[in-house]
């Protein structure tokens, strides 16, 4: 039985998060110095736009203009800017079931030679309504799932001992929706050498830990009897979709144990329930992690290489979580099957994961401008060479200090109290990167001008040039032309009314409220200066 207390988990999460915020703010303040974005009023911004503020050498480059046109045309074709937060809210409102499909994928010998081919040998539920669009899409997903469950079937041979392994991959629907596929590779019970099989749960809910526990229960039941799996998965499918921070209770019968109650809990912060930052930080030093982060911010091509499926999937999901509040809109394949390596030759941005045995073949492909990262050796196999110079230096230094001192910060805040170490680390890392983006783009609300129809428009140049850091302005010149930034701002421009604020918007509001008072402009500035002089004369 897995127990979880809703109120206790929520209380500990809130306390842990608030403890780290003060330390993170102090580190950024120390690295940034006294200069910060000024909370300017509309008149001051208008004056700035017409007065010819500081001209940066990177302004109005021809390459930047071409990329802007490309991004705008792409957004017109695909106006939806999907985020995990929004998807989860919609799923909660629609009262979706916990998962859509559960399958068992096995290896079968091909008709020629001794090679193996993965295929679905069991499926639940077994039938779909053929007239349903969702069902047709589910059938399409089923056709590709076996390749991703066994991305390297040619390497598998019967074995007497194969440790169980949990990993995941993501499939994208026709409408841009994501299907999370949670897999557990096991060796079926028996004697002698046997072939492994993969249990795969397909769900619209991004929650790795929750489904990892379900798959462990599936494995436990399958070792007793395969017939026990379907009744258990039926109970899981009939369970209600839990809200963040809440639990779902699943009842099932297990021979020898009688009726069992399985209680599963979703984290309070739904953004982080699919994330394992610890694995990422164990694989990469802080310096290399920040270079990968910088490359993804500029929407470059990045390939992860590792010898384990679990390492590839966990590190891929974790590094994309660092981009919040921005969302990776391009190709994302945490584990790429060997038969699909040619995808890495695509000229568009991507983040893909490749198993280590495929690296020699990968290096022979004509891949341009790519960062290939060996997660097992903590090194770059191929790089462009400028990865360490992309981020604004002071903000990068603050992030680096937070990550390098993470153990000391956790120890100082937690003392000797016992808590969820992975949750504490996730909270610290998340808040650190959120603060990075608050410092970089948190002043955007000051440069949103409302139109007559209620929508808003970002004054791009005043937004960029108002940043006091020259390094930040240079970085924003590039970052503002990414599809991530364009989609994020488009979402803000088209959104009407308030609505529930996410973590980033909450931190932005706190940041702007803590800033200096808006500076007066024009006549008001002259009168304030005159008033100060009169006070000085009175004192004399």
């Amino acid at each position: 039985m897995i127990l979880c207390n809703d109120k206790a988990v929520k209380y500990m999460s809130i306390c842990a998060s608030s403890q780290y915020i003060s330390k993170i703010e102090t580190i950024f303040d120390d690295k940034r110095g006294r200069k910060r974005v000024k909370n300017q009023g509309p008149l001051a911004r208008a004056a700035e736009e017409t007065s010819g503020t500081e001209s940066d050498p990177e302004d109005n480059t021809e390459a930047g203009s071409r990329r802007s046109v490309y991004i705008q045309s792409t957004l017109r074709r695909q106006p939806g800017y999907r985020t995990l937060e929004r998807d989860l809210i919609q799923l909660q409102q629609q009262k979706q079931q916990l998962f859509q499909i559960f399958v068992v994928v096995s290896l079968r010998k091909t008709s020629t030679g001794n090679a193996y081919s993965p295929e679905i040998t069991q499926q639940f539920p077994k039938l779909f309504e053929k007239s349903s669009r969702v069902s047709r899409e589910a059938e399409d997903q089923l056709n590709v799932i076996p390749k991703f469950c066994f991305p390297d079937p040619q390497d598998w041979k019967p074995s007497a001992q194969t440790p169980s392994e949990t990993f995941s991959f993501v499939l994208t629907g026709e409408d841009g929706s994501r299907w999370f596929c949670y897999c557990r590779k096991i060796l079926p019970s028996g004697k002698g050498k046997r072939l492994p099989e993969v249990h795969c749960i397909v769900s619209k809910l991004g929650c790795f830990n929750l489904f990892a526990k379900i798959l462990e229960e599936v494995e436990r039941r399958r070792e007793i009897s395969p017939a026990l799996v379907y009744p258990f998965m039926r109970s899981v499918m009939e369970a209600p979709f839990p809200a963040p921070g809440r639990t779902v209770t699943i009842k099932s019968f297990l021979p020898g144990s009688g009726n069992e109650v399985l209680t599963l809990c979703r984290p309070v912060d739904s953004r982080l329930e699919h994330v394992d930052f610890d694995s990422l930080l164990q694989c990469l030093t802080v310096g290399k992690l920040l270079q990968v982060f910088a490359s993804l911010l500029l929407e470059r091509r990045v390939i992860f290489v590792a010898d384990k499926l679990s390492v590839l999937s966990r590190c891929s999901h974790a590094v994309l979580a660092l981009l919040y509040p921005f969302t990776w809109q391009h190709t994302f394949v945490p584990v790429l099957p060997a038969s699909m390596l040619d995808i890495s030759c695509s000229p568009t941005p991507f983040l893909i994961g490749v198993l280590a045995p495929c690296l020699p073949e990968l290096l022979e492909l004509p891949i341009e401008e790519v960062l290939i990262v060996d997660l097992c050796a903590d090194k770059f196999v191929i790089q462009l060479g400028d990865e360490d110079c992309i981020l604004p230096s002071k903000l990068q230094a603050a992030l680096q200090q937070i990550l390098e001192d993470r153990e000391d910060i956790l120890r100082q805040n937690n003392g000797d109290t016992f808590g969820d170490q992975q949750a504490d680390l996730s909270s610290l890392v998340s808040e650190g990167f959120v603060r990075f983006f608050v410092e970089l783009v948190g002043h955007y609300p000051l440069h949103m001008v409302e139109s007559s129809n209620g929508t808003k428009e970002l004054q791009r140049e005043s937004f960029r040039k108002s940043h006091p850091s020259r390094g930040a302005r240079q970085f924003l010149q590039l970052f503002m032309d990414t599809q991530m930034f364009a989609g994020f701002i488009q979402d803000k421009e088209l959104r009407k009314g308030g609505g529930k604020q996410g973590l980033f918007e909450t931190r932005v509001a706190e940041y702007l409220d803590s800033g200096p008072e808006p500076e007066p402009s024009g006549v008001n500035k002259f009168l304030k200066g005159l008033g100060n002089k009169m006070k000085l004369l009175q004192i004399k």
Side-chain angles (χ1 to χ4, degrees):
M1 182 187 297
I2 303 169
L3 296 177
C4 167
N5 185 291
D6 294 353
K7 293 183 179 179
V9 170
K10 187 172 183 178
Y11 176 77
M12 288 188 294
S13 175
I14 293 173
C15 290
S17 180
S18 61
Q19 288 175 336
Y20 309 138
I21 294 172
S22 177
K23 180 64 176 178
I24 290 170
E25 289 179 353
T26 300
I27 292 174
F28 270 96
D29 289 343
D30 290 343
K31 296 296 182 183
R32 175 187 5 98
R34 299 180 62 183
K35 287 185 178 180
R36 59 170 284 170
V37 175
K38 296 177 181 179
N39 191 347
Q40 295 174 310
L43 291 178
R45 294 201 303 274
E48 180 186 357
E49 292 173 26
T50 58
S51 62
T53 52
E54 175 187 353
S55 178
D56 294 331
E58 73 277 5
D59 286 357
N60 301 321
T61 61
E62 182 179 352
S65 299
R66 288 199 303 269
R67 182 163 172 79
S68 294
V69 171
Y70 163 74
I71 293 299
Q72 290 167 9
S73 63
T74 302
L75 287 173
R76 279 197 293 270
R77 292 195 303 270
Q78 298 176 332
Y81 182 72
R82 306 195 67 90
T83 68
L84 182 56
E85 277 187 313
R86 190 181 305 169
D87 286 348
L88 288 170
I89 292 173
Q90 290 177 353
L91 289 174
Q92 185 64 48
Q93 292 173 341
Q94 297 168 2
K95 297 182 178 180
Q96 291 276 347
Q97 54 197 22
L98 273 175
F99 72 94
Q100 277 64 47
I101 313 167
F102 168 75
V103 296
V104 177
V105 179
S106 306
L107 291 172
R108 294 287 184 264
K109 271 192 176 182
T110 58
S111 56
T112 57
N114 294 321
Y116 293 98
S117 175
E119 62 181 57
I120 294 175
T121 53
Q122 296 180 48
Q123 174 185 327
F124 174 81
K126 294 184 178 181
L127 299 175
F128 299 100
E129 293 289 339
K130 296 300 181 181
S131 59
S132 167
R133 182 192 64 80
V134 175
S135 298
R136 289 196 303 272
E137 185 176 5
E139 292 285 3
D140 293 338
Q141 304 287 20
L142 282 175
N143 294 330
V144 299
I145 283 176
K147 288 184 178 179
F148 287 91
C149 288
F150 282 100
D152 54 349
Q154 71 276 13
D155 296 330
W156 288 108
K157 297 179 180 179
S159 172
Q161 289 185 340
T162 299
S164 298
E165 184 178 15
T166 304
F167 62 99
S168 66
F169 57 91
V170 180
L171 300 176
T172 303
E174 296 176 358
D175 60 351
S177 61
R178 288 179 282 266
W179 295 61
F180 295 90
C181 302
Y182 304 92
C183 303
R184 187 163 179 83
K185 182 183 66 184
I186 70 168
L187 194 64
S189 57
K191 296 181 180 180
K193 294 183 177 182
R194 306 172 309 280
L195 287 169
E197 63 183 22
V198 173
H199 300 158
C200 178
I201 299 176
V202 181
S203 173
K204 292 189 176 182
L205 171 62
C207 189
F208 186 90
N209 290 333
L210 184 147
F211 285 102
K213 292 174 182 176
I214 293 176
L215 287 169
E216 289 173 2
E217 291 296 320
V218 169
E219 181 179 6
R220 188 160 72 99
R221 283 159 173 76
R222 191 165 177 80
E223 286 178 351
I224 300 173
S225 171
L228 297 175
V229 173
Y230 280 179
F232 173 71
M233 293 308 296
R234 183 179 298 279
S235 299
V236 174
M237 176 171 276
E238 293 173 352
F241 189 93
R246 308 296 294 179
T247 61
V248 57
T249 300
I250 299 169
K251 298 179 180 179
S252 65
F253 177 79
L254 194 64
S257 301
N259 290 320
E260 283 197 352
V261 177
L262 179 68
T263 306
L264 302 168
C265 180
R266 283 183 63 191
V268 175
D269 190 345
S270 59
R271 298 177 307 107
L272 303 180
E273 57 190 343
H274 199 73
V275 177
D276 180 3
F277 288 129
D278 189 43
S279 294
L280 184 62
L281 290 166
Q282 285 183 7
C283 290
L284 295 177
T285 56
V286 171
K288 285 190 170 53
L289 172 57
L290 291 180
Q291 292 181 54
V292 173
F293 171 69
S295 299
L296 290 172
L297 281 182
L298 295 189
E299 296 183 335
R300 293 180 173 180
R301 291 178 281 277
V302 178
I303 300 176
F304 280 169
V305 179
D307 55 6
K308 290 185 178 180
L309 297 171
S310 56
V311 172
L312 284 176
S313 62
R314 291 182 181 184
C315 290
S316 297
H317 286 292
V319 77
L320 288 191
L322 299 178
L323 301 177
Y324 173 82
F326 301 94
T327 304
W328 184 258
Q329 300 290 306
H330 304 282
T331 300
F332 173 45
V333 187
V335 182
L336 184 68
S339 60
M340 302 171 66
L341 278 183
D342 56 346
I343 288 179
S344 60
C345 298
S346 169
T348 57
F350 58 67
L351 172 62
I352 61 177
V354 172
L355 287 166
C358 299
L359 182 58
E361 182 181 351
L362 182 72
L363 294 176
E364 294 179 0
L365 296 175
I367 310 173
E368 297 182 356
E369 297 184 345
V370 65
L371 174 65
I372 300 181
V373 186
D374 187 336
L375 294 174
C376 297
D378 182 29
K379 69 176 184 180
F380 294 153
V381 180
I382 295 179
Q383 63 184 113
L384 274 64
D386 65 343
E387 288 85 359
D388 195 37
C389 306
I390 295 174
L391 299 178
S393 58
K394 293 180 180 179
L395 297 183
Q396 178 173 335
L399 266 182
Q400 183 154 349
Q401 181 178 337
I402 291 168
L403 295 177
E404 289 178 346
D405 296 348
R406 61 187 182 276
E407 292 183 1
D408 291 336
I409 296 174
L410 291 172
R411 194 179 302 113
Q412 291 170 8
N413 283 284
N414 294 341
D416 297 327
T417 59
F418 176 79
D420 187 338
Q421 294 181 352
Q422 183 172 333
D424 291 342
L425 177 65
S426 294
S427 178
L428 174 63
V429 173
S430 171
E431 289 286 357
F433 279 87
V434 166
R435 182 68 186 192
F436 169 86
F437 285 116
V438 167
E439 294 273 351
L440 184 68
V441 302
H443 59 298
Y444 83 88
L446 305 177
H447 300 269
M448 300 288 285
V449 177
E450 188 168 346
S451 62
S452 57
N453 63 356
T455 60
K456 297 180 180 180
E457 182 179 354
L458 177 70
Q459 305 301 300
R460 294 173 61 90
E461 279 306 289
S462 69
F463 159 75
R464 187 183 70 85
K465 291 184 177 180
S466 66
H467 206 293
S469 165
R470 182 179 181 84
R473 293 195 301 272
Q474 292 174 337
F475 173 77
L476 285 173
Q477 179 71 25
L478 300 172
F479 182 56
M480 288 169 63
D481 282 335
T482 63
Q483 190 167 330
M484 274 190 295
F485 181 85
F488 171 81
I489 291 300
Q490 184 187 69
D491 178 61
K492 305 302 179 186
E493 291 175 336
L494 297 179
R495 182 173 298 183
K496 297 181 181 180
K500 186 178 180 181
Q501 287 191 330
L503 175 65
F504 179 71
E505 297 301 331
T506 300
R507 296 290 179 260
V508 164
E510 294 169 352
Y511 175 73
L512 296 178
D513 289 342
S514 67
E517 290 296 322
E519 287 193 356
S521 61
V523 176
N524 290 336
K525 187 174 184 179
F526 170 77
L527 292 176
K528 182 178 180 180
L530 183 61
N532 290 336
K533 290 180 180 179
M534 294 296 291
K535 289 180 181 178
L536 183 61
L537 289 174
Q538 290 175 359
I539 294 174
K540 290 182 178 179

